[in-house]
Amino acid sequence: MMIDELENGSLGPYQDRPRTFPNMRSKAYTPWVFRVLMGINVRVLFVLLLLAFAAVFYVGASTSPIVVFVLSICIISFLFSIYLTKWVLSKDEGPPEMVQISDAIRDGAEGFFRTQYGTISKMAFLLALVILCIYLFRSTTPQQESSSLGRFTSAYITVAAFLLGALCSGIAGYVGMWVSVRANVRVSSAARRSAREALQIAVRAGGFSAMVVVGMAVIGIAILYATFYVWLEVDSPGAMKVTDLPLLLVGYGFGASFVALFAQLGGGIYTKAADVGADLVGKVEQGIPEDDPRNPAVIADLVGDNVGDCAARGADLFESIAAEIISAMILGGSMAQRCKIEGKVLTNPSGFILFPLVVHSFDLVISSVGVLSIRGTRDSGAKASVEDPMAILQKGYSVTIVLAVLTFGLSTRWLLYTEQAPSAWFNFALCGLVGIITAYAFVLITKYYTDYKHEPVRTLALASSTGHGTNIIAGVSLGLESTALPVLVISVAIISAYWLGQTSGLVDETGNPTGGLFGTAVATMGMLSTAAYVLTMDMFGPIADNAGGIVEMSQQPESVREITDLLDAVGNTTKATTKGFAIGSAALASFLLFSAYMDEVATFAHEPFKQVDIAIPEVFIGGLLGSMLIFLFSAWSCSAVGRTAQEVVNEVRRQFIERPGIMDYKEKPDYGRCVAIVASASLKEMIKPGALAIVSPIAVGFLFRILGHYTGHPLLGAKVVAAMLMFATVSGILMALFLNTAGGAWDNAKKYIETGALGGKGSDCHKAAVTGDTVGDPFKDTAGPSLHVLIKMLATITLVMAPIFL
Amino acid sequence: MMIDELENGSLGPYQDRPRTFPNMRSKAYTPWVFRVLMGINVRVLFVLLLLAFAAVFYVGASTSPIVVFVLSICIISFLFSIYLTKWVLSKDEGPPEMVQISDAIRDGAEGFFRTQYGTISKMAFLLALVILCIYLFRSTTPQQESSSLGRFTSAYITVAAFLLGALCSGIAGYVGMWVSVRANVRVSSAARRSAREALQIAVRAGGFSAMVVVGMAVIGIAILYATFYVWLEVDSPGAMKVTDLPLLLVGYGFGASFVALFAQLGGGIYTKAADVGADLVGKVEQGIPEDDPRNPAVIADLVGDNVGDCAARGADLFESIAAEIISAMILGGSMAQRCKIEGKVLTNPSGFILFPLVVHSFDLVISSVGVLSIRGTRDSGAKASVEDPMAILQKGYSVTIVLAVLTFGLSTRWLLYTEQAPSAWFNFALCGLVGIITAYAFVLITKYYTDYKHEPVRTLALASSTGHGTNIIAGVSLGLESTALPVLVISVAIISAYWLGQTSGLVDETGNPTGGLFGTAVATMGMLSTAAYVLTMDMFGPIADNAGGIVEMSQQPESVREITDLLDAVGNTTKATTKGFAIGSAALASFLLFSAYMDEVATFAHEPFKQVDIAIPEVFIGGLLGSMLIFLFSAWSCSAVGRTAQEVVNEVRRQFIERPGIMDYKEKPDYGRCVAIVASASLKEMIKPGALAIVSPIAVGFLFRILGHYTGHPLLGAKVVAAMLMFATVSGILMALFLNTAGGAWDNAKKYIETGALGGKGSDCHKAAVTGDTVGDPFKDTAGPSLHVLIKMLATITLVMAPIFL
């Protein structure tokens, strides 16, 4: 729809038009939900809202006091995030030329968002229908039948959870973008006054979406959990056990992953196609700086930052947190069950199940403290004293980490203490510490490989001085090499957390230690226990980037640009570290979801399913196909960017030739045309890799189930899918690390040269570095982050679709 | 040593020197073995040789008539290969300027070969000592003790096999290079007369080394097998069973892999560092054509073709064939054992064990026919009628394939026929057919992705028109995408061959079908049943490439250059297809060796070891580390090329600045300096990735063995290594496919543009394509082919080092 508007409405020459930037608002499209809501009186709405909250609290209270605690904290965080928005929106938008640019960015971003999420929601409904059919025709276990969880109930529950997950993921993405398109101009305006104030606005805007994203993941799961608990009369005689409840939440995780995958793919293709296209003609061929108003692709590039980095990353992190909370709940439940049956170690299993929700509630609190610790009042008005923004952010992070260690210890003592294993909580607290240290190690490693203060990026920059070819070879090698340390860290983390869990004193009915896997889950929790602050730092990046673009385009004085450039550089580093953080937690979460999958299959197959034996040819092939899926997915997402970027390059070149006055500021470039090209191309291009990710595990599982049926191998489909999942996870982790780090390093090698090293801007060395940067763009912002989502989605899709393979 | 000569002897300005090219022969270094041999009278030598043959035949005859058959065919092939050399050497070397260039290439190549193999042999002796110590302190099975295969015997046998394998691998490499440095000038001389004659010389020279490489792999294993058979009194009462004999040959495979790995790494780094360095300055910066005599790095580049492509590929293919014969023999033995114990299906197990040797004997025969079918007489003297050389080679390949199908059927009927399962041989013949079809499919897929007649390379070429960045993105995507089809083909091949084997009628003592794995082994045999012809086509490439270089450097007329360019382009395609072929067979062979490893562990541990369960955290970590090993190895081998290429670029730039007359042919460039730089750098750089590949599986196995000891997990080390092996194999296959195909496609996209498409030579589009080509060089000729060797070496190293993990 937006595409039509763009193509029909804004492609004429600019001279004839009153507005400077393409008007993409002409036909304001408001979804009917909003129209209905806006029709209702505000007071009625407020009363309805209060009633809804009361209902939620009532249901929560009849489940467990822990749920009430979690709900309360989430609501307080939402109120806090509203305060943050009000604070950000109260800042001035600067001079009209800035507002004009910001409006163009906002319109482009919101237009694309609407169209993209329209497509995604259609696909989500289609998939929901498929899931419904599968569950209506599945076979159920006698256990389930007895606990009134029949075919129909489980079908509706799964579909409802899926749709809720998809909706929340969508909202998370929207919120991320909503605030960034409003904060960007306020940051650039504040940069005219003070670096510190600009930093503060960007951080608080990022903090707002981080609070909403994390809070929504937590509250969604808490509400689902409480509702199912009350609805299914859990723990009443003959009904379902509370320890089985978390498995019903998997649909939520799948819904979240599904939307996040397409959001990341679509947004990633959009932002990087525009970026690469703009850079290749603007920087390399014409020699004009980044975000120069003469570049016809510059608005598309700035729009891309919002839809790709803000909206997609919001959905991505939402999905990470949801997947990881659910997997930890499942493991907590199954461990509690094992310990209770005969050993009678655990008196109240809810503590083990609800532990992840509490950890993230504390996460919201401590991250708020971290965000508030970054204050702008001190040097407001004094433009000269530019501190290192990284140091300020780092200080906030340190505050958050210290608090995280404390609250994590508190949570373990509160929820994981049992009389029979009195020291177990301490072991689990140590697991949490392992997770926090792992997160920190990931941040350090990512920094080492992507920051130009260190050896690797300097070597890469030096390789640019001998040409484009050696730059690419050095970057690829750097990226491939950078997989080693994170893998070693993850290995040590998994083994030590497993060992701490195993020796915690929790034993199953036969007296075997059984806490190992839960220990790994707690470590994952620990790793993500500062997620909201990390997400804040991540969101900060694209907002600062956009602010820089607006400053550049509105041709502000050099000093203002220096401030936004500084913020932008810091944003690059925080973006890279978030990715390290995301992939580390994805690695741990997938390992947990894999165990959940094994449990699920065992339940359905009425036989133990403990092993995935890769010495069986079919299983080996499953692994081969899993790894291949990662390669193919990366190929398709990179080539989507490449193809779209080529269209942009051709369009930009055409405009420079047809309107020779652009270079002397005599003619206005046609920004709208580039926006239209990337928007329509990225919507088209996101389908193929996305469909591959969803269809292939289902197809492989189904095919091998049939093959197993005819060759007399029971459970062959499930085994092959398990191997596929495991190999895809391993390859996915490595590939994502490679793509993210290589991309980040190329970007910063270019930035290093732009500081004046090795010939500085405009030299041949710089040109080679720009080539590396453009290659790195789809690596680090399209394929890499999509892989994070993909490996978790593979885990949740196999869990949800397990009935097909059995 | 050579380095010193180069640095001291040939770095003065050229004007003062009588020779045009650096004299690297000054201190002719001859190993003492040769000096002793040359000191003996020729007749005495001949008599000694005859006596040796007689002894070999005597030992063979007391083993099995099949061994005699294999030995006879090998000796006939050696005689045939001597005929081919004589034929090639009888051709004229052309005018003195050609001879001069060829001499310089020969001296550089032989000098590097000596130094390189000196280093490798030192490392091999060190490793042999380590193996000896490990085997002297290992624990032995009671079964082994009873069969007189004590600790000492098995230690000496393993070390002897290792050293013999290493020696033969070294000879295979040397032979490949020996003939190519002699044939290149003869091909360029013949190109002045007739395209067909040039083609014939190149093919016959390639055929010579193919015969020697394949023949030596076969005869080495046959001699070892016969010697062990006689020495250990196999099959006599109380002694070892013949079905256990193949396990003793593993050391041979490991020795071959060890040398091949370093040969490939050193040679690959040499050739591509020189190539990239020459291209980046010559083609991109100065705009002079490839192999132009004004480029100071051109001799190093031409030397590199010989040490990298000829010597290394010879060792590589030797190792492929050896590893795959041994693994098939092990599987044949273990299957024969299972079938015999109670089922009494097999009356004579030797047929199953010796089957691979017979297949490769026929391979020698039919490939000789294929090579001879390419004749040069018809149009000799008529320069005009240039046929498509690819069609001629393809015709020869078709002849060979048809013969392969026939002889393969014959071999299965002869050796795999048993009365109790009368149709088994037919099933295995079909397995062979599956292998042959798989090989053909691999060749087709590689061609589709790397030949510019097809869509992918054209798309890649088009992406070059929008700049360096989009070219690289498109190439990376193409490479990643190209992994999909081969994986599907391999999957289908493994499953169908396994199924054919399972349904062959062979059953074990309990009546379970047991031929599945052997079916896969037979398919691998089928795939490699035309190995000698494929190797011929592969060797043809670098010889043609070198001939082109000599023609260009000696400034022959355009028409001569056209002929060698044509041959060179064909050589590129055949090189790419051999790589597809090599990786396909490596995938299958690793799967076989993995099964052998499981058997070996089970024997030592006195308990069944049938499963590798990736749901155990430590095992999962083993897998993660295995995949990481592949990434790190690729990183280090690519960055080695990048670093060395940067040195070359700086040196070439320095020479162009310091000797401005070079560009006008007024001054001679200092070729020797570039040769010295790449030679010393590649020797240094090959150590790190090579050591990584050898040390890491041993270290991981040993560490986890200790961890397992303390946490009460028996066999943990062995399980973790198994997972590591499996994940490394899968990642290695995919990574190698990616690197090989991307590299080949970039190369041909450049060639496509050089045909005049999209602006042709010298355009911006061509420059972008050259960047892609230089990036692809280390991918396809250093890292990619090293990975083929690596995944097989991992399998043999774990087999040989198994005692450490247990």
Side-chain angles (χ1 to χ4, degrees):
Chain A
M1 178 178 296
M2 195 202 76
I3 313 308
D4 292 346
E5 291 167 29
L6 277 169
E7 290 191 342
N8 304 332
S10 25
L11 299 179
Y14 270 88
Q15 294 86 316
D16 329 330
R17 305 179 139 265
R19 279 196 64 149
T20 319
F21 292 101
N23 180 5
M24 277 155 277
R25 250 182 195 166
S26 48
K27 277 186 271 170
Y29 167 78
T30 324
W32 60 268
V33 186
F34 287 105
R35 267 175 287 160
V36 169
L37 282 177
M38 282 188 288
I40 306 172
N41 185 290
V42 179
R43 282 184 200 170
V44 177
L45 209 63
F46 189 69
V47 171
L48 281 178
L49 207 67
L50 269 186
L51 280 178
F53 274 135
V56 164
F57 265 87
Y58 171 74
V59 172
S62 36
T63 312
S64 156
I66 305 172
V67 175
V68 177
F69 171 80
V70 170
L71 292 175
S72 318
I73 298 230
C74 286
I75 287 167
I76 295 171
S77 311
F78 286 142
L79 295 176
F80 174 66
S81 67
I82 291 173
Y83 158 74
L84 287 180
T85 347
K86 289 216 163 220
W87 187 87
V88 169
L89 293 182
S90 71
K91 299 285 164 179
D92 74 290
E93 289 189 290
E97 64 267 24
M98 277 191 182
V99 178
Q100 208 179 29
I101 297 161
S102 152
D103 280 349
I105 296 172
R106 178 150 75 220
D107 295 347
E110 290 186 341
F112 178 68
F113 189 88
R114 274 199 302 273
T115 330
Q116 186 191 18
Y117 276 71
T119 314
I120 295 177
S121 60
K122 269 176 222 144
M123 287 190 287
F125 277 113
L126 201 74
L127 194 57
L129 218 67
V130 173
I131 297 174
L132 192 69
C133 293
I134 290 169
Y135 272 73
L136 286 181
F137 293 101
R138 88 192 289 193
S139 60
T140 46
T141 62
Q143 194 193 352
Q144 286 176 315
E145 292 291 352
S146 73
S147 62
S148 80
L149 191 66
R151 208 170 279 181
F152 291 97
T153 324
S154 80
Y156 295 136
I157 280 182
T158 311
V159 170
F162 171 77
L163 288 177
L164 185 67
L167 179 71
C168 288
S169 187
I171 297 177
Y174 183 72
V175 163
M177 197 198 66
W178 184 88
V179 71
S180 79
V181 294
R182 280 160 182 83
N184 54 8
V185 66
R186 291 174 170 86
V187 172
S188 34
S189 168
R192 295 177 307 155
R193 296 187 297 271
S194 136
R196 187 116 191 183
E197 194 188 338
L199 172 73
Q200 200 186 11
I201 296 174
V203 167
R204 291 198 165 190
F208 160 73
S209 40
M211 293 298 141
V212 173
V213 164
V214 176
M216 212 154 49
V218 175
I219 208 168
I221 293 172
I223 291 176
L224 269 184
Y225 177 85
T227 315
F228 291 161
Y229 191 96
V230 172
W231 183 26
L232 299 171
E233 295 168 17
V234 168
D235 271 351
S236 60
M240 191 181 196
K241 288 207 195 79
V242 66
T243 47
D244 289 331
L245 195 51
L247 261 178
L248 297 179
L249 304 172
V250 168
Y252 187 79
F254 179 42
S257 308
F258 176 81
V259 171
L261 182 70
F262 282 100
Q264 183 66 59
L265 274 173
I269 295 169
Y270 190 113
T271 176
K272 289 307 138 177
D275 194 359
V276 171
D279 281 359
L280 278 180
V281 188
K283 280 196 199 172
V284 179
E285 294 182 5
Q286 304 288 340
I288 55 179
E290 184 147 355
D291 296 330
D292 192 284
R294 289 167 292 178
N295 195 327
V298 68
I299 291 284
D301 185 9
L302 291 172
V303 169
D305 288 344
N306 291 294
V307 298
D309 292 342
C310 292
R313 194 55 43 78
D316 179 0
L317 262 274
F318 172 81
E319 178 272 342
S320 290
I321 294 163
E324 173 256 352
I325 291 180
I326 292 168
S327 58
M329 286 173 87
I330 293 173
L331 285 177
S334 70
M335 198 199 57
Q337 196 174 25
R338 272 202 304 278
C339 293
K340 218 167 69 174
I341 298 170
E342 301 245 1
K344 302 224 179 291
V345 175
L346 298 178
T347 39
N348 180 11
S350 335
F352 279 74
I353 297 169
L354 297 175
F355 179 69
L357 291 175
V358 172
V359 168
H360 276 295
S361 304
F362 279 119
D363 171 14
L364 287 169
V365 177
I366 58 175
S367 300
S368 307
V369 176
V371 169
L372 287 180
S373 79
I374 297 166
R375 305 203 137 271
T377 39
R378 227 184 325 147
D379 69 342
S380 158
K383 212 190 274 180
S385 70
V386 178
E387 282 178 77
D388 177 13
M390 195 65 215
I392 302 173
L393 289 177
Q394 200 71 50
K395 221 183 73 196
Y397 189 41
S398 308
V399 170
T400 317
I401 279 200
V402 170
L403 289 174
V405 172
L406 292 177
T407 55
F408 206 91
L410 201 70
S411 321
T412 46
R413 179 66 185 79
W414 175 25
L415 295 172
L416 305 183
Y417 176 77
T418 59
E419 281 175 21
Q420 286 80 352
S423 71
W425 73 271
F426 188 69
N427 275 32
F428 288 123
L430 289 181
C431 288
L433 197 62
V434 166
I436 295 174
I437 294 172
T438 306
Y440 201 71
F442 260 80
V443 168
L444 284 188
I445 295 169
T446 317
K447 243 170 121 178
Y448 174 71
Y449 277 109
T450 56
D451 197 330
Y452 60 69
K453 291 191 192 99
H454 303 284
E455 195 57 29
V457 175
R458 300 210 167 198
T459 314
L460 179 57
L462 194 65
S464 316
S465 67
T466 43
H468 302 262
T470 45
N471 167 282
I472 301 291
I473 295 173
V476 169
S477 319
L478 184 150
L480 288 172
E481 187 185 307
S482 74
T483 59
L485 283 180
V487 164
L488 292 179
V489 169
I490 280 278
S491 302
V492 172
I494 289 182
I495 287 184
S496 50
Y498 193 88
W499 179 78
L500 281 170
Q502 240 6 22
T503 55
S504 65
L506 292 175
V507 288
D508 66 3
E509 64 232 72
T510 55
N512 287 327
T514 187
L517 220 48
F518 189 69
T520 324
V522 175
T524 317
M525 293 286 114
M527 190 155 180
L528 284 171
S529 63
T530 55
Y533 190 85
V534 172
L535 184 55
T536 304
M537 292 207 293
D538 182 67
M539 289 286 185
F540 161 85
I543 295 173
D545 193 357
N546 249 263
I550 294 173
V551 165
E552 179 82 35
M553 283 202 68
S554 60
Q555 295 168 18
Q556 299 293 318
E558 189 64 32
S559 63
V560 180
R561 224 143 73 188
E562 263 169 24
I563 288 175
T564 52
D565 276 358
L566 192 67
L567 293 183
D568 185 18
V570 171
N572 260 310
T573 311
T574 58
K575 261 169 70 183
T577 53
T578 318
K579 278 173 206 150
F581 184 83
I583 194 67
S585 63
L588 286 170
S590 305
F591 186 67
L592 303 181
L593 285 166
F594 179 72
S595 313
Y597 169 75
M598 304 281 283
D599 277 358
E600 166 99 346
V601 172
T603 317
F604 270 93
H606 317 302
E607 55 178 273
F609 184 65
K610 289 260 159 241
Q611 292 180 314
V612 182
D613 177 10
I614 40 175
I616 300 170
E618 286 89 353
V619 177
F620 174 71
I621 285 168
L624 201 52
L625 291 173
S627 289
M628 182 267 268
L629 171 65
I630 297 295
F631 278 68
L632 192 56
F633 179 85
S634 311
W636 284 356
S637 40
C638 285
S639 68
V641 175
R643 266 196 304 272
T644 315
Q646 285 169 46
E647 286 182 50
V648 175
V649 166
N650 287 329
E651 169 62 24
V652 174
R653 281 187 186 159
R654 189 187 62 78
Q655 291 200 23
F656 275 126
I657 292 168
E658 291 182 4
R659 305 179 184 194
I662 290 180
M663 279 305 280
D664 316 319
Y665 299 93
K666 281 182 191 142
E667 270 180 286
K668 275 251 170 242
D670 182 352
Y671 302 110
R673 180 93 196 141
C674 289
V675 171
I677 286 173
V678 281
S680 92
S682 50
L683 284 176
K684 201 179 68 203
E685 297 277 4
M686 77 178 181
I687 304 293
K688 201 167 81 165
L692 173 78
I694 289 164
V695 171
S696 55
I698 301 176
V700 166
F702 189 63
L703 261 178
F704 278 92
R705 177 199 175 170
I706 292 173
L707 192 74
H709 182 73
Y710 283 105
T711 55
H713 281 84
L715 288 185
L716 187 66
K719 282 176 192 164
V720 170
V721 168
M724 184 175 188
L725 180 57
M726 215 56 170
F727 276 76
T729 303
V730 168
S731 300
I733 293 167
L734 289 165
M735 185 67 90
L737 282 169
F738 158 58
L739 296 171
N740 289 341
T741 319
W746 268 317
D747 195 347
N748 280 332
K750 180 200 69 178
K751 286 209 156 56
Y752 176 60
I753 292 170
E754 284 174 358
T755 63
L758 298 162
K761 274 191 191 182
S763 64
D764 278 346
C765 180
H766 182 238
K767 281 191 177 146
V770 171
T771 296
D773 180 33
T774 51
V775 173
D777 275 340
F779 282 20
K780 75 178 198 299
D781 287 319
T782 311
S786 303
L787 281 175
H788 303 172
V789 186
L790 173 68
I791 57 182
K792 272 166 293 170
M793 205 206 61
L794 283 177
T796 48
I797 202 173
T798 41
L799 264 170
V800 171
M801 296 297 184
I804 299 188
F805 318 142
L806 291 167
Chain B
M1 180 176 297
M2 195 202 78
I3 312 309
D4 292 346
E5 289 166 30
L6 277 168
E7 291 193 341
N8 304 331
S10 26
L11 299 178
Y14 270 86
Q15 294 87 316
D16 329 330
R17 303 178 141 266
R19 278 197 65 149
T20 320
F21 293 103
N23 180 5
M24 274 156 280
R25 251 182 193 165
S26 50
K27 276 185 271 169
Y29 167 76
T30 324
W32 61 267
V33 186
F34 287 105
R35 267 176 286 158
V36 169
L37 281 178
M38 281 188 287
I40 305 172
N41 186 290
V42 179
R43 282 185 200 170
V44 177
L45 209 63
F46 189 70
V47 171
L48 282 176
L49 207 67
L50 270 186
L51 280 177
F53 276 134
V56 163
F57 265 88
Y58 171 74
V59 172
S62 35
T63 311
S64 156
I66 306 172
V67 174
V68 176
F69 170 79
V70 170
L71 291 175
S72 316
I73 297 230
C74 285
I75 287 167
I76 295 171
S77 311
F78 286 141
L79 295 176
F80 174 66
S81 67
I82 291 173
Y83 158 74
L84 287 179
T85 347
K86 289 215 164 220
W87 186 88
V88 169
L89 293 182
S90 71
K91 298 285 163 181
D92 75 290
E93 290 188 289
E97 63 267 25
M98 278 190 180
V99 178
Q100 209 179 28
I101 298 161
S102 151
D103 280 350
I105 296 171
R106 179 149 77 220
D107 295 348
E110 291 187 340
F112 178 69
F113 189 88
R114 274 200 300 275
T115 330
Q116 186 192 18
Y117 276 71
T119 314
I120 295 176
S121 60
K122 270 176 221 146
M123 288 190 288
F125 277 112
L126 201 73
L127 193 58
L129 216 67
V130 172
I131 297 173
L132 192 68
C133 293
I134 290 168
Y135 272 73
L136 285 181
F137 293 102
R138 89 193 288 192
S139 59
T140 47
T141 62
Q143 194 191 351
Q144 286 176 315
E145 292 290 353
S146 73
S147 62
S148 82
L149 192 65
R151 206 170 279 181
F152 292 97
T153 324
S154 79
Y156 294 136
I157 281 182
T158 310
V159 169
F162 172 76
L163 288 178
L164 186 68
L167 180 71
C168 289
S169 187
I171 297 177
Y174 184 71
V175 163
M177 197 198 66
W178 185 86
V179 71
S180 79
V181 294
R182 280 160 183 83
N184 53 8
V185 66
R186 292 175 169 85
V187 172
S188 35
S189 168
R192 294 176 308 155
R193 296 187 297 272
S194 136
R196 187 114 190 187
E197 194 188 337
L199 172 72
Q200 200 188 10
I201 296 174
V203 167
R204 291 199 165 189
F208 160 73
S209 41
M211 293 298 141
V212 174
V213 165
V214 177
M216 213 153 50
V218 174
I219 207 169
I221 294 173
I223 291 176
L224 269 184
Y225 177 86
T227 314
F228 292 163
Y229 191 96
V230 172
W231 182 24
L232 299 171
E233 294 167 19
V234 168
D235 272 351
S236 60
M240 191 182 198
K241 287 206 198 81
V242 66
T243 47
D244 288 332
L245 195 52
L247 261 178
L248 297 178
L249 304 172
V250 168
Y252 187 80
F254 179 42
S257 308
F258 177 82
V259 170
L261 182 70
F262 282 99
Q264 183 65 60
L265 274 173
I269 295 169
Y270 190 112
T271 176
K272 289 306 138 178
D275 194 0
V276 172
D279 281 0
L280 278 181
V281 187
K283 281 196 196 170
V284 179
E285 294 182 5
Q286 304 287 341
I288 56 179
E290 184 147 356
D291 296 329
D292 192 283
R294 288 168 291 178
N295 195 328
V298 68
I299 289 284
D301 185 9
L302 291 172
V303 169
D305 289 343
N306 291 293
V307 298
D309 292 343
C310 292
R313 195 56 43 79
D316 179 0
L317 263 273
F318 173 81
E319 178 271 343
S320 291
I321 294 162
E324 174 255 352
I325 290 179
I326 293 168
S327 58
M329 285 173 86
I330 293 173
L331 285 177
S334 71
M335 197 199 58
Q337 196 173 25
R338 272 202 304 278
C339 293
K340 218 168 67 172
I341 297 170
E342 301 243 5
K344 300 224 182 293
V345 175
L346 298 178
T347 40
N348 180 11
S350 334
F352 279 74
I353 298 170
L354 296 174
F355 179 69
L357 291 176
V358 172
V359 168
H360 276 294
S361 304
F362 279 120
D363 171 14
L364 288 169
V365 176
I366 59 175
S367 300
S368 307
V369 176
V371 169
L372 286 180
S373 78
I374 297 165
R375 304 203 138 270
T377 40
R378 226 186 323 147
D379 68 341
S380 156
K383 212 189 274 179
S385 68
V386 178
E387 285 177 74
D388 178 13
M390 195 64 216
I392 302 174
L393 289 176
Q394 201 73 50
K395 222 183 71 197
Y397 189 40
S398 309
V399 170
T400 316
I401 280 199
V402 170
L403 289 175
V405 173
L406 292 177
T407 55
F408 205 90
L410 202 70
S411 321
T412 47
R413 179 66 185 78
W414 174 26
L415 296 172
L416 305 183
Y417 175 78
T418 60
E419 281 175 19
Q420 286 80 351
S423 70
W425 73 270
F426 187 68
N427 275 33
F428 289 123
L430 289 181
C431 289
L433 197 63
V434 166
I436 294 173
I437 293 172
T438 305
Y440 200 71
F442 261 80
V443 168
L444 284 187
I445 294 169
T446 317
K447 243 170 119 178
Y448 173 72
Y449 276 108
T450 57
D451 198 332
Y452 60 68
K453 291 192 191 97
H454 304 284
E455 195 58 29
V457 175
R458 300 210 167 199
T459 314
L460 180 57
L462 193 66
S464 317
S465 67
T466 43
H468 300 263
T470 45
N471 167 282
I472 301 290
I473 295 172
V476 170
S477 321
L478 184 150
L480 289 172
E481 188 185 306
S482 74
T483 59
L485 284 180
V487 164
L488 292 180
V489 169
I490 280 277
S491 301
V492 171
I494 290 182
I495 288 184
S496 50
Y498 193 86
W499 181 79
L500 281 169
Q502 272 312 64
T503 55
S504 65
L506 291 175
V507 289
D508 67 2
E509 64 232 73
T510 55
N512 287 325
T514 186
L517 221 46
F518 189 69
T520 325
V522 175
T524 317
M525 293 286 114
M527 188 155 183
L528 284 169
S529 64
T530 55
Y533 190 84
V534 172
L535 184 55
T536 304
M537 292 206 292
D538 182 66
M539 289 287 184
F540 161 84
I543 295 173
D545 193 356
N546 250 263
I550 294 174
V551 165
E552 179 83 33
M553 283 201 69
S554 59
Q555 297 169 15
Q556 300 293 318
E558 190 65 33
S559 62
V560 181
R561 224 143 71 190
E562 264 168 24
I563 288 176
T564 53
D565 276 358
L566 192 67
L567 293 183
D568 185 18
V570 171
N572 260 310
T573 312
T574 57
K575 263 170 69 184
T577 52
T578 317
K579 279 174 206 148
F581 183 83
I583 194 69
S585 63
L588 287 171
S590 303
F591 187 66
L592 303 182
L593 285 166
F594 179 73
S595 313
Y597 169 74
M598 305 281 283
D599 277 358
E600 166 98 346
V601 172
T603 315
F604 269 94
H606 317 301
E607 55 179 273
F609 185 66
K610 289 259 157 244
Q611 292 180 315
V612 181
D613 177 12
I614 39 176
I616 300 171
E618 286 89 353
V619 178
F620 174 71
I621 286 168
L624 201 53
L625 292 173
S627 289
M628 183 267 269
L629 171 65
I630 297 296
F631 278 67
L632 192 56
F633 180 85
S634 311
W636 285 356
S637 40
C638 285
S639 68
V641 175
R643 266 196 303 273
T644 315
Q646 285 168 47
E647 287 183 49
V648 176
V649 166
N650 288 330
E651 169 62 24
V652 173
R653 281 186 186 159
R654 190 187 62 79
Q655 290 200 22
F656 275 128
I657 293 168
E658 291 181 3
R659 303 180 184 192
I662 290 180
M663 279 305 280
D664 317 318
Y665 298 95
K666 280 182 193 145
E667 269 180 287
K668 275 253 171 239
D670 183 351
Y671 303 110
R673 180 94 196 141
C674 290
V675 171
I677 287 173
V678 281
S680 94
S682 50
L683 284 176
K684 201 179 67 202
E685 298 277 3
M686 78 179 181
I687 306 292
K688 202 166 81 166
L692 173 78
I694 289 164
V695 172
S696 56
I698 301 176
V700 166
F702 188 64
L703 262 177
F704 279 91
R705 178 198 175 172
I706 293 174
L707 193 74
H709 181 73
Y710 283 105
T711 55
H713 282 83
L715 288 186
L716 188 66
K719 283 177 192 164
V720 171
V721 168
M724 184 174 188
L725 182 57
M726 217 56 172
F727 276 76
T729 302
V730 167
S731 301
I733 293 167
L734 289 165
M735 186 65 90
L737 282 169
F738 159 57
L739 296 171
N740 290 340
T741 319
W746 268 317
D747 195 347
N748 280 332
K750 180 201 69 177
K751 287 208 155 53
Y752 175 60
I753 292 170
E754 284 174 357
T755 62
L758 298 162
K761 273 192 192 183
S763 64
D764 278 346
C765 181
H766 182 237
K767 282 194 175 143
V770 171
T771 296
D773 180 34
T774 52
V775 173
D777 274 340
F779 282 20
K780 74 178 199 300
D781 287 319
T782 311
S786 303
L787 282 175
H788 304 172
V789 185
L790 174 67
I791 57 182
K792 273 166 294 171
M793 204 206 61
L794 284 177
T796 49
I797 202 173
T798 42
L799 264 169
V800 171
M801 296 295 185
I804 298 188
F805 319 142
L806 292 165

